[in-house]
Amino acid sequence: MNLVEKKVALVTGASRGIGRSIALRMAQEGADVAFTYLSSVEKGEALVKELEQFGIKAKGYRSDASDFQAADQLVTDVLADFGKLDILVNNAGVTRDGLLMRMSEEQWDSVMTINLKSVFNLTKAAIKSMMRAKSGSIINITSVVGISGNAGQANYSASKAGIIGFTKSVALELGSRNIRSNAVAPGFIETEMTDAIDTKAVEEWKQSIPMKRGGQPEDVADACVFLASDLSRYITGQVLQVDGGMLT
Ligand code: NAP
């Protein structure tokens, strides 16, 4: 299948984990892929070679998604390098967990800036060319905890809930221009982000999931390909949970 053939996708935070999988699946389905990373320079360079094996054009950019000017420059560079931008996947994200009683202002601000402001930065920069093209698919990676909340993650949950409100607002503003805006809400996905969690807590968590296992980055990537492709042409403003039934 070539579900996104001849399209150009930009994926933020693709050096590792879910973003890396999204970039690879987009390439496998025929898209040219631009992606970003922040600190993992070697992994970013290695990914370009892996992506090119699918016979598509690929380029990595070292760019901080939380920086408004850098995001604008990134989209300018992607348009210059690839000629257009059809798909934006706002994936870059971090956790800085702690109970609210002990959470610092820096913990709050950094998570809100990296997780939520980045989505504003990239989307604002990308929609100019999408509006001219009268076509586009924006996919924002939120989390089930943006719907349910989570003890110890007030900052992270708030940033992910903010992404859902932003996603729906963009869908309302830009639907008439044939630009779709959807969110994907992963549950527990096995990446470096979740490796940091205590093993016993992880096992208990998995047992509470109806499908009795954690998800893989590919499970999230497949949902993104669907939302990027014409298979989802009449779907906008939605939150697609990829969580094995964790939050029903
Ligand atoms: P991860 O393995 O920690 O990877 C995070 C990625 O984001 C890395 O590529 C990192 O780049 C990049 N990044 C971080 N800050 C950045 C910035 N300021 N600018 C650009 N890139 C930046 O995380 P993951 O588990 O794959 O998570 C990916 C997304 O899914 C996040 O938004 C996360 O909140 C969401 N999510 C994950 C889970 C889960 O269970 N894993 C569940 C729900 C939602 P460097 O390598 O260069 O630092």
Side-chain angles (χ1 to χ4, degrees):
M1 281 193 291
N2 283 306
L3 288 172
V4 285
E5 194 176 20
K6 295 195 171 70
K7 293 184 191 255
V8 175
L10 169 59
V11 184
T12 66
S15 49
R16 303 183 268 126
I18 293 170
R20 177 186 144 80
S21 243
I22 296 169
L24 286 164
R25 282 292 286 125
M26 292 288 175
Q28 196 178 16
E29 294 293 341
D32 288 337
V33 178
F35 69 91
T36 71
Y37 52 89
L38 189 57
S39 53
S40 306
V41 179
E42 281 176 23
K43 286 182 183 169
E45 283 165 6
L47 181 60
V48 172
K49 294 198 173 59
E50 278 187 72
L51 291 167
E52 285 173 346
Q53 285 173 5
F54 293 102
I56 53 90
K57 177 173 171 160
K59 188 165 178 179
Y61 302 80
R62 190 175 192 184
S63 180
D64 184 349
S66 67
D67 181 329
F68 183 80
Q69 305 286 358
D72 196 57
Q73 185 60 51
L74 169 70
V75 171
T76 302
D77 292 346
V78 170
L79 289 171
D81 293 339
F82 289 81
K84 61 174 187 159
L85 179 56
D86 303 295
I87 300 157
L88 170 65
V89 186
N90 284 307
N91 167 77
V94 295
T95 51
R96 302 264 193 279
D97 297 350
L99 294 172
L100 182 58
M101 279 291 284
R102 286 191 225 113
M103 187 173 287
S104 66
E105 185 182 6
E106 192 279 326
Q107 265 173 300
W108 173 269
D109 285 346
S110 63
V111 168
M112 294 304 282
T113 308
I114 297 168
N115 292 5
L116 180 56
K117 189 181 170 217
S118 64
V119 177
F120 163 76
N121 293 345
L122 266 302
T123 306
K124 189 168 163 57
I127 59 171
K128 288 171 225 157
S129 76
M130 288 181 174
M131 284 169 82
R132 277 196 298 275
K134 294 191 174 57
S135 173
S137 176
I138 299 160
I139 301 159
N140 299 321
I141 308 300
T142 176
S143 166
V144 289
V145 305
I147 303 167
S148 64
N150 195 23
Q153 289 194 311
N155 52 356
Y156 182 78
S157 302
S159 72
K160 294 300 186 181
I163 288 176
I164 294 173
F166 181 84
T167 301
K168 289 174 181 278
S169 302
V170 172
L172 293 172
E173 284 189 28
L174 298 178
S176 64
R177 310 293 184 106
N178 194 33
I179 298 170
R180 298 184 295 109
S181 168
N182 291 290
V184 171
F188 182 88
I189 309 296
E190 292 172 359
T191 68
E192 283 178 37
M193 185 176 273
T194 46
D195 280 353
I197 304 168
D198 164 71
T199 322
K200 190 163 167 272
V202 166
E203 278 318 307
E204 283 172 11
W205 218 343
K206 284 185 189 171
Q207 284 315 306
S208 72
I209 298 169
M211 293 189 77
K212 303 290 175 206
R213 61 177 176 85
Q216 299 304 311
E218 294 75 20
D219 298 327
V220 181
D222 281 349
C224 292
V225 167
F226 167 68
L227 289 173
S229 78
D230 289 343
L231 290 177
S232 60
R233 61 196 167 272
Y234 200 51
I235 299 175
T236 193
Q238 301 304 304
V239 182
L240 177 54
Q241 289 176 221
V242 181
D243 67 353
M246 188 179 189
L247 183 69
T248 51

